[in-house]
Amino acid sequence: MNMLEKIKSKKGFTLIELIVVIAVIAILAAILLPQFTGFSDGAKQKSALSDARNLSVALEALVAEGKTVDESAMKTYLGNKTFSGTFTTSPTATGFVYTKGITPKNTAVTYTTSTGAFTMTFNSMAVSP
């Protein structure tokens, strides 16, 4: 068997076939990645709402007990739980605004004591809690 026959008898993929496979994988990745970021945005919104609900329970309890309402009192009431968000406005007996995330992808949850309602914005757009 001469050298030319040995080279032709080897099995494998050609360069064109490999490039086509890489292109197909890249197209699929481009289609799927935006969907995964949507899932993480939704999770961040739910996390902010959960934190705000916990904080609202502390606020309502402090108001019912006639204690001073401030950020440290609310966190102390919740067992010094750490929250990754911040209060955009200082909590008062009438409510608070709690923000979680980094601008421009942040979630702001507003709680109003008189109505017991939460309103939520994500990327400065209102979303339903």
Side-chain angles (χ1 to χ4, degrees):
M1 188 187 269
N2 68 23
M3 188 65 106
L4 187 57
E5 289 174 355
K6 283 184 182 179
I7 292 174
K8 286 187 178 183
S9 69
K10 285 190 176 183
K11 296 186 179 189
F13 295 106
T14 66
L15 182 59
I16 298 296
E17 290 171 328
L18 291 174
I19 290 173
V20 168
V21 169
I22 291 170
V24 168
I25 291 171
I27 291 169
L28 290 174
I31 291 170
L32 295 176
L33 284 178
Q35 291 179 353
F36 289 127
T37 58
F39 291 136
S40 64
D41 289 346
K44 289 175 186 173
Q45 291 174 16
K46 299 267 190 239
S47 174
L49 184 59
S50 174
D51 286 353
R53 284 187 175 147
N54 289 337
L55 291 166
S56 71
V57 168
L59 177 109
E60 295 286 347
L62 290 170
V63 169
E65 293 173 6
K67 295 184 178 177
T68 303
V69 176
D70 62 8
E71 184 174 350
S72 65
M74 290 171 70
K75 288 183 178 179
T76 301
Y77 187 84
L78 294 171
N80 290 320
K81 182 180 184 303
T82 57
F83 295 95
S84 59
T86 58
F87 286 101
T88 308
T89 60
S90 296
T92 64
T94 58
F96 60 85
V97 178
Y98 177 75
T99 303
K100 188 172 191 172
I102 301 171
T103 305
K105 288 196 168 201
N106 62 357
T107 301
V109 180
T110 304
Y111 176 71
T112 308
T113 308
S114 61
T115 60
F118 292 93
T119 55
M120 187 163 63
T121 58
F122 180 69
N123 291 343
S124 302
M125 296 176 56
V127 293
S128 64

